């Protein structure tokens, strides 16, 4: 059954950000959902987080009414800490949720894209979504956990700021926008955006708040 069903309107707005560049991103290693592979932001990654914070602050002003949500990874939480400082909101009030984490890559976690490509052939689809690892999480499984998060937060009052990952954010946005299933992944997939980007989704429509200058690869 297709998952391309427009969701009913949510209360408030969702500001969805992709975390800044990490040490592993810089050298082309896969991080995924493995806790021990949550590498820190690079200087470029911190600059990307700064740019998101500046863009949101210019748009929303000081201390806006926002519920903070994050993947529990260090890279997402570091990015959110910088943004929160710009907005003068309490980072310690962040709601961490495992359902916002990146796609699980199983035994591919920590491997370089170069090494994986040499052994398995292309591991990234032309539109930037990763080819799932044989022992990793499937895209339908990831879409199901993201859909559950959407259901649980559907009636929350006010706006939400959500910091997450390249692949998981594209699927979350795809679900929220009611996009058709992607032929490679079997779930809705939104437009690819560079690291350090943030969008706003309100009333089923997406607008770009800031396009980051980071890599577009996973």
């Amino acid at each position: 059954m297709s998952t391309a069903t427009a969701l009913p309107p949510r209360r408030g707005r969702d500001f969805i950000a992709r975390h800044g560049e990490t040490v592993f991103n810089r050298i082309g290693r896969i991080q995924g959902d493995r806790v021990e592979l949550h590498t820190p932001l690079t200087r470029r990654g911190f600059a990307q987080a700064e740019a998101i914070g500046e863009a949101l602050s210019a748009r929303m002003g000081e201390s806006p009414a926002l519920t903070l949500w994050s993947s529990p990874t260090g890279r997402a939480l570091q990015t959110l800490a910088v943004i929160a400082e710009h907005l003068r909101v309490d980072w310690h009030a962040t709601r961490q949720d495992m359902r916002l984490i990146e796609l699980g890559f199983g035994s591919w976690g920590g491997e370089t894209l170069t090494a994986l490509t040499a052994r398995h052939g292309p591991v990234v689809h032309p539109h930037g979504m990763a080819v799932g690892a044989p022992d990793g999480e499937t895209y339908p499984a990831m879409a199901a956990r993201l859909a559950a998060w959407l259901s649980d937060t559907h009636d929350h009052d006010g706006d939400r700021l959500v910091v997450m990952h390249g692949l998981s954010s594209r699927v979350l946005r795809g679900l929220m926008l009611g996009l058709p299933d992607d032929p490679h992944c079997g779930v809705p997939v939104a437009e690819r955006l560079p690291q350090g980007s943030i969008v706003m989704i309100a009333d089923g429509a997406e607008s770009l708040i800031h396009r980051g200058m980071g890599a577009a690869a996973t």
Side-chain angles (χ1 to χ4, degrees):
M1 179 182 296
S2 172
T3 54
T5 302
L7 298 175
R10 287 164 64 80
R11 292 187 181 182
R13 300 171 294 179
D14 289 274
F15 295 87
I16 302 172
R18 181 180 177 186
H19 69 74
E21 180 190 76
T22 71
V23 172
F24 265 28
N25 291 148
R26 190 65 177 268
I27 61 176
R29 287 189 181 275
I30 289 178
Q31 295 166 114
D33 66 340
R34 287 173 54 184
V35 174
E36 72 274 19
L37 299 180
H38 295 335
T39 59
L41 300 184
T42 61
R43 287 182 296 171
R44 182 183 297 176
F46 278 110
Q48 291 161 0
E50 294 273 8
I52 294 175
E54 290 168 359
L56 274 184
S57 179
R59 183 184 183 93
M60 306 186 77
E62 187 174 306
S63 301
L66 280 172
T67 302
L68 305 182
W69 288 88
S70 180
S71 157
T73 62
R75 56 197 190 269
L77 290 166
Q78 275 190 308
T79 301
L80 181 54
V82 175
I83 299 170
E85 184 176 356
H86 278 277
L87 295 175
R88 297 184 183 275
V89 295
D90 184 8
W91 176 86
H92 293 92
T94 300
R95 302 183 185 189
Q96 300 180 39
D97 199 306
M98 279 293 294
R99 293 173 295 184
L100 300 173
I101 207 165
E102 185 58 294
L103 184 73
F105 281 93
S107 61
W108 286 11
E111 293 265 16
T112 66
L113 294 173
T114 300
L116 286 171
T117 301
R119 293 203 306 270
H120 302 284
V123 293
V124 179
H125 294 299
H127 62 342
M129 295 296 281
V131 175
D135 62 346
E137 183 180 28
T138 66
Y139 280 108
M142 182 168 73
R145 60 173 163 84
L146 292 171
W149 180 82
L150 286 171
S151 177
D152 287 349
T153 58
H154 181 271
D155 292 325
H156 286 191
D157 289 327
D159 297 333
R160 292 160 292 272
L161 171 58
V162 186
V163 180
M164 47 195 306
H165 307 272
L167 303 177
S168 59
S169 65
R170 290 181 69 181
V171 174
L172 178 67
R173 291 163 50 219
L175 290 169
M176 295 178 74
L177 297 173
L179 300 181
D181 287 348
D182 176 80
H184 297 292
C185 303
V187 298
V189 174
E191 174 193 1
R192 184 185 194 184
L193 291 173
Q195 290 167 331
S197 295
I198 184 166
V199 301
M200 179 185 75
I201 297 181
D203 298 322
E206 177 176 282
S207 56
L208 182 66
I209 303 299
H210 174 74
R211 180 178 290 275
M213 298 301 291
T218 54

